[in-house]
Amino acid sequence: MQNANNAQLRFSMVKQRHRKTFEEALAKGLVDRQLIPICKFISKQREFFTSSGCAGRILLICLPKGEEKKEAFFVAKWHRKVKFSELKEALAKECNNELWFKQEPFILHIGTNTIENARKILKIAKKAGIKRGGIMHLGLGKIMIELVGTQYLSLPIKKGKKLLADDRFIKFILQKANKKLEKNYERLKKFERILISELSP
Amino acid sequence: MQNANNAQLRFSMVKQRHRKTFEEALAKGLVDRQLIPICKFISKQREFFTSSGCAGRILLICLPKGEEKKEAFFVAKWHRKVKFSELKEALAKECNNELWFKQEPFILHIGTNTIENARKILKIAKKAGIKRGGIMHLGLGKIMIELVGTQYLSLPIKKGKKLLADDRFIKFILQKANKKLEKNYERLKKFERILISELSP
């Protein structure tokens, strides 16, 4: 009983903290547009919260030698479809080693208080066709679920000052990346619809 | 109490079935070499089992129009580093639409009977630096954990009969894929070491 009370207290505190962080990020325009309806809905639920998340993106990342992630930096980052001219412009920017072109899927972290609630989220994710993710942390009064999309594309595109591929190929992979990003957002929208329908009273 | 007994009974049955499937697959040489020590160790544990898994691979996959996964087929698949000559040979094979070159990370499914045991696996995975995955199913007497690596590379490489990139680029991405695959196997080895050390009596 003491444990249950501690869990409830801890969850309330964590939930409150994350709601505040979310509202601040929202006010500053830092929340990905495609995630706002999901995050807003979850924020209003008494037994759930969201922590970090990304709706999915297209990016250029500069990897220094050894590919240490810490030293990597984004040369460009878009949470939407990208035009060839925009990509070309970004490709002209400096990266002293390897530049990678990537389309990454959404990643969303949802927190809850009980295993039963975590199970609900897993079921909703499954129903929405989300194949990757699960409960990644099971703490007292804090259970974290990670959901990840499966649409991605990733390749090196420039080495030093030299492009590794010609415009025709770059156009082709950008078209693929845009299409995959669109599919990724559709999956997220499907999750949003099912989530709202299943969790609404 | 009835529930606990049912859960125990169900787990025993599931565990026995998966051990049998694993032993048959092992006898037929169908288990990825890099996964054998992990699967053998887990198979011997009373409260854990493995179901499906892949150690990580390099592959060529032919995607029909619309990219329906059901109709996609592998043109080549290697669970090891690949030579340029091998890749070139495989690239000459027929694919009537888009051919993609991919390096995929490991994926491993571990089953257990209690939440406490699932938590142990999550902790071991975290300690081994595995960032993706979690508990994906919470059934009575059957909890499934999925662990996924983060090393990957994925791009279209051929359209119809036409290669989209020149040999120099193909050599470069193959070298990257081989390096990422190696890192992937190292991560799996680290997980194996920590798993055996933490779960051994």
Side-chain angles (χ1 to χ4, degrees):
Chain A
M1 202 57 203
Q2 186 60 37
N3 249 0
N5 283 343
N6 283 347
Q8 196 47 47
L9 186 66
R10 180 159 187 239
F11 178 76
S12 301
M13 286 168 63
V14 173
K15 154 95 187 157
Q16 207 175 342
R17 178 159 52 81
H18 281 288
R19 183 164 52 194
K20 202 169 158 238
T21 312
F22 166 66
E23 278 161 10
E24 284 169 2
L26 192 64
K28 285 182 192 155
L30 296 174
V31 183
D32 294 350
R33 182 174 50 85
Q34 300 89 342
L35 277 181
I36 293 176
I38 293 174
C39 293
K40 270 191 173 168
F41 176 80
I42 290 180
S43 186
K44 278 183 215 142
Q45 308 306 306
R46 224 163 43 92
E47 300 185 307
F48 298 93
F49 64 86
T50 51
S51 59
S52 53
C54 170
R57 58 192 183 178
I58 288 173
L59 59 91
L60 289 174
I61 188 166
C62 181
L63 302 181
K65 290 208 169 135
E67 290 171 37
E68 285 301 323
K69 265 214 165 172
K70 278 177 228 162
E71 290 166 42
F73 64 89
F74 292 113
V75 167
K77 203 163 58 177
W78 298 272
H79 290 84
R80 56 163 172 84
K81 288 201 215 178
V82 177
K83 286 178 196 156
F84 181 64
S85 59
E86 293 174 308
L87 179 59
K88 279 296 279 188
E89 199 176 312
L91 280 170
K93 290 183 187 167
E94 188 122 347
C95 164
N96 61 2
N97 189 39
E98 259 174 52
L99 188 69
W100 283 61
F101 174 82
K102 282 172 178 270
Q103 178 267 313
E104 292 180 342
F106 67 82
I107 179 161
L108 182 60
H109 293 113
I110 300 175
T112 189
N113 52 351
T114 67
I115 285 175
E116 204 36 65
N117 278 333
R119 201 184 263 132
K120 271 187 202 166
I121 298 293
L122 291 183
K123 275 190 185 158
I124 292 167
K126 202 175 176 183
K127 216 166 163 177
I130 298 174
K131 291 196 189 80
R132 287 283 167 278
I135 301 165
M136 55 190 299
H137 175 80
L138 272 162
L140 188 71
K142 189 187 171 193
I143 298 174
M144 292 306 304
I145 301 139
E146 178 175 85
L147 302 177
V148 190
T150 40
Q151 294 291 339
Y152 66 86
L153 191 151
S154 176
L155 65 148
I157 195 162
K158 199 177 155 193
K159 173 101 185 169
K161 289 187 189 306
K162 206 183 146 6
L163 275 178
L164 297 169
D166 59 23
D167 276 5
R168 205 171 149 184
F169 180 63
I170 295 172
K171 243 177 212 164
F172 188 73
I173 58 155
L174 179 62
Q175 179 199 324
K176 291 291 149 192
N178 279 333
K179 207 174 157 189
K180 278 178 169 288
L181 194 67
E182 197 174 11
K183 275 193 186 177
N184 169 78
Y185 291 145
E186 281 165 16
R187 181 72 61 198
L188 209 51
K189 203 74 202 166
K190 189 171 181 184
F191 176 69
E192 178 191 319
R193 278 197 303 270
I194 300 176
L195 180 82
I196 292 174
S197 129
E198 304 258 324
L199 290 191
S200 292
Chain B
M1 201 55 203
Q2 188 60 35
N3 247 2
N5 284 342
N6 283 347
Q8 196 47 48
L9 186 65
R10 180 157 186 239
F11 178 75
S12 300
M13 284 167 65
V14 172
K15 155 96 186 157
Q16 207 174 344
R17 178 160 51 81
H18 281 289
R19 182 164 53 194
K20 204 172 156 232
T21 311
F22 166 67
E23 277 162 11
E24 284 168 4
L26 191 65
K28 285 181 192 156
L30 296 174
V31 182
D32 294 350
R33 182 173 51 86
Q34 300 89 342
L35 277 181
I36 293 176
I38 294 174
C39 292
K40 270 190 174 169
F41 176 79
I42 291 179
S43 186
K44 278 183 214 144
Q45 307 306 306
R46 223 163 44 91
E47 301 186 306
F48 297 93
F49 64 86
T50 52
S51 58
S52 53
C54 170
R57 57 195 183 175
I58 290 174
L59 59 93
L60 289 174
I61 188 165
C62 181
L63 302 182
K65 288 202 170 141
E67 290 176 31
E68 286 301 322
K69 263 214 166 171
K70 279 177 226 162
E71 290 166 43
F73 64 90
F74 293 114
V75 168
K77 205 162 57 178
W78 298 274
H79 290 85
R80 56 165 172 83
K81 289 203 213 174
V82 177
K83 285 179 196 157
F84 181 63
S85 58
E86 293 174 308
L87 180 59
K88 279 296 277 185
E89 199 177 312
L91 280 170
K93 289 183 188 168
E94 188 121 347
C95 164
N96 61 2
N97 191 37
E98 259 175 53
L99 188 70
W100 282 61
F101 173 83
K102 281 172 178 272
Q103 176 268 313
E104 291 180 342
F106 67 82
I107 179 161
L108 181 60
H109 293 114
I110 300 175
T112 189
N113 51 351
T114 67
I115 285 175
E116 205 35 67
N117 277 332
R119 200 184 263 130
K120 270 187 203 166
I121 298 292
L122 292 183
K123 275 191 187 160
I124 292 167
K126 201 173 176 186
K127 215 165 164 179
I130 298 174
K131 290 197 190 77
R132 287 285 168 276
I135 300 165
M136 54 190 299
H137 175 80
L138 271 162
L140 187 72
K142 188 188 170 192
I143 298 174
M144 291 304 306
I145 302 139
E146 178 175 85
L147 301 177
V148 189
T150 40
Q151 293 291 337
Y152 66 87
L153 190 151
S154 175
L155 64 146
I157 195 163
K158 199 178 157 193
K159 173 102 184 167
K161 289 187 189 307
K162 207 182 145 6
L163 277 176
L164 298 169
D166 60 21
D167 276 5
R168 204 171 150 184
F169 181 62
I170 295 172
K171 243 177 213 166
F172 188 72
I173 57 155
L174 180 61
Q175 179 199 324
K176 291 292 149 188
N178 279 333
K179 206 174 156 187
K180 279 178 168 289
L181 193 67
E182 196 173 15
K183 273 193 186 178
N184 168 78
Y185 291 144
E186 280 166 15
R187 181 71 62 197
L188 209 51
K189 204 72 201 167
K190 189 170 180 184
F191 176 70
E192 178 191 318
R193 277 197 303 270
I194 299 177
L195 180 82
I196 292 175
S197 127
E198 303 260 323
L199 290 190
S200 293

